[in-house]
Amino acid sequence: MAGQISRIRLFKDKSAHIFMIGLTTISLLVLVLMGVGLWYKSRDVVAANSIWELLSSSVWKPNEGKFGFLPYIIGTVSITALSVIIALPISLLTAIFLTENARPWIKRFIFPVLDILAGIPSVIYGVWGTLIIVPFIADRLGPHFVEYTSGYSVLAGGIVMGIMILPLLVSLFVEIFSVIPNDLRDAAYSLGATKWQTSQKIILRKAAPGIIAAVVLAVSRALGETIAILMVCGNVAIIPENLFDSCYPLPALIANNYGEMLSIPIYESALMFATFILFFVILLFNAGSRILLQRVEKQYKLQ
């Protein structure tokens, strides 16, 4: 009887193991199939133009079969980088305050606000940016730095995107800081460290791997955001020379032109190639950040 029960348990254990491996394999296959499918749909534009020409050219003339993606790539990277530069220090300091210094009633007020901000549709952020941020840049901020700006710019896109990813970063950082053992804090205080010194030398250093992972999630969302950025960036296919120039990110290109692709057969292939670029950039970024995260974790284990 005992042997039969043992065999049943082993069978269940092996079945669960095989089932989990199958689910993991399916997840990887979905990722591979997405990449292969996008590349397959892009084959026409790749056959007509070299990959180097597609990535390095600034000429966008679909009627002539010329598709230069460089302005769109630079626009995407510029807005994403600016949004992280804006949101990262604010979210870090906010999370440190909430976990280390804030009174309980402040937490009860702030956390629901963060949940509301995270749940607001992106189109509302876009409308808000169009009504508030764009006129402010055009009328108040821009004239101090450039001769003319319409307000629809890299800066507007970076501000709107930075505010969009802010609640996500704050929530992730709060969760990361909250799981750090209180013994480390008590040890720092016992040695005479202030709250800021403890946050700087202990909390941030201990949470470094989690911070990197949170930033990766935020960047992945920023790279793929469409409607809000589409409404404030200007959608002009140029390489921006400064923050007050308009730009045209890849997600906005896909959203704006997908309905027009049927008139020019190769246009569909070009838009699929734009999607493949976005897919590959996000994949490459996540892989690189995973390698960096492993190195940081290994470094902190050795210390």
Side-chain angles (χ1 to χ4, degrees):
M1 185 67 179
Q4 184 178 0
I5 294 176
S6 177
R7 286 194 297 271
I8 293 174
R9 291 179 60 186
L10 289 175
F11 175 77
K12 290 182 178 180
D13 184 68
K14 290 182 179 179
S15 299
H17 180 69
I18 295 173
F19 179 71
M20 288 185 288
I21 291 178
L23 291 179
T24 304
T25 304
I26 290 173
S27 300
L28 294 175
L29 284 176
V30 168
L31 183 65
V32 172
L33 289 175
M34 287 177 62
V36 172
L38 291 173
W39 178 257
Y40 178 77
K41 295 291 288 186
S42 307
R43 66 189 188 282
D44 291 340
V45 73
V46 174
N49 305 268
S50 67
I51 294 179
W52 173 252
E53 183 180 358
L54 292 171
L55 297 178
S56 63
S57 174
S58 301
V59 180
W60 185 265
K61 295 181 179 180
N63 292 323
E64 300 178 11
K66 297 180 179 179
F67 301 94
F69 288 93
L70 184 60
Y72 305 100
I73 296 173
I74 293 179
T76 303
V77 173
S78 299
I79 288 181
T80 302
L82 182 59
S83 66
V84 173
I85 291 172
I86 293 173
L88 183 57
I90 298 174
S91 57
L92 270 177
L93 294 175
T94 301
I96 290 174
F97 171 73
L98 290 174
T99 54
E100 305 300 320
N101 301 287
R103 297 180 182 273
W105 68 268
I106 296 179
K107 296 180 182 179
R108 288 195 298 267
F109 172 75
I110 294 295
F111 288 151
V113 171
L114 291 175
D115 292 337
I116 293 172
L117 288 174
I120 293 177
S122 59
V123 66
I124 296 179
Y125 283 102
V127 172
W128 171 77
T130 303
L131 296 178
I132 304 298
I133 301 300
V134 170
F136 174 76
I137 293 175
D139 301 332
R140 301 293 182 86
L141 185 61
H144 295 288
F145 297 94
V146 293
E147 293 184 1
Y148 170 78
T149 177
S150 64
Y152 295 92
S153 58
V154 174
L155 181 59
I159 292 174
V160 171
M161 180 53 63
I163 294 174
M164 287 184 65
I165 66 176
L166 188 62
L168 172 63
L169 283 174
V170 173
S171 299
L172 291 173
F173 289 156
V174 167
E175 293 294 330
I176 293 167
F177 297 157
S178 298
V179 300
I180 294 177
N182 287 326
D183 293 345
L184 296 177
R185 297 178 176 86
D186 295 337
Y189 294 148
S190 67
L191 294 174
T194 63
K195 285 188 175 182
W196 171 245
Q197 288 174 332
T198 302
S199 300
Q200 181 183 11
K201 302 296 184 179
I202 304 298
I203 305 301
L204 289 180
R205 288 174 62 86
K206 188 67 175 177
I211 292 173
I212 294 174
V215 171
V216 170
L217 290 176
V219 170
S220 297
R221 179 185 175 182
L223 284 171
E225 183 55 47
T226 304
I227 188 66
I229 304 306
L230 182 151
M231 299 173 68
V232 299
C233 67
N235 300 326
V236 179
I238 60 173
I239 298 177
E241 298 180 356
N242 55 64
L243 296 179
F244 299 96
D245 283 346
S246 298
C247 65
Y248 207 158
L250 283 169
L253 169 69
I254 298 166
N256 272 337
N257 296 280
Y258 197 79
E260 303 174 2
M261 66 182 184
L262 296 178
S263 60
I264 305 175
I266 199 174
Y267 210 156
E268 177 185 6
S269 180
L271 294 180
M272 291 301 100
F273 186 72
T275 309
F276 177 80
I277 293 174
L278 194 59
F279 172 84
F280 183 77
V281 168
I282 294 175
L283 185 64
L284 189 64
F285 177 80
N286 278 270
S289 61
R290 179 60 58 182
I291 295 173
L292 176 62
L293 181 59
Q294 290 176 350
R295 290 184 177 180
V296 171
E297 289 177 342
K298 184 182 297 184
Q299 178 182 355
Y300 277 90
K301 286 180 181 179
L302 294 175
Q303 292 180 352

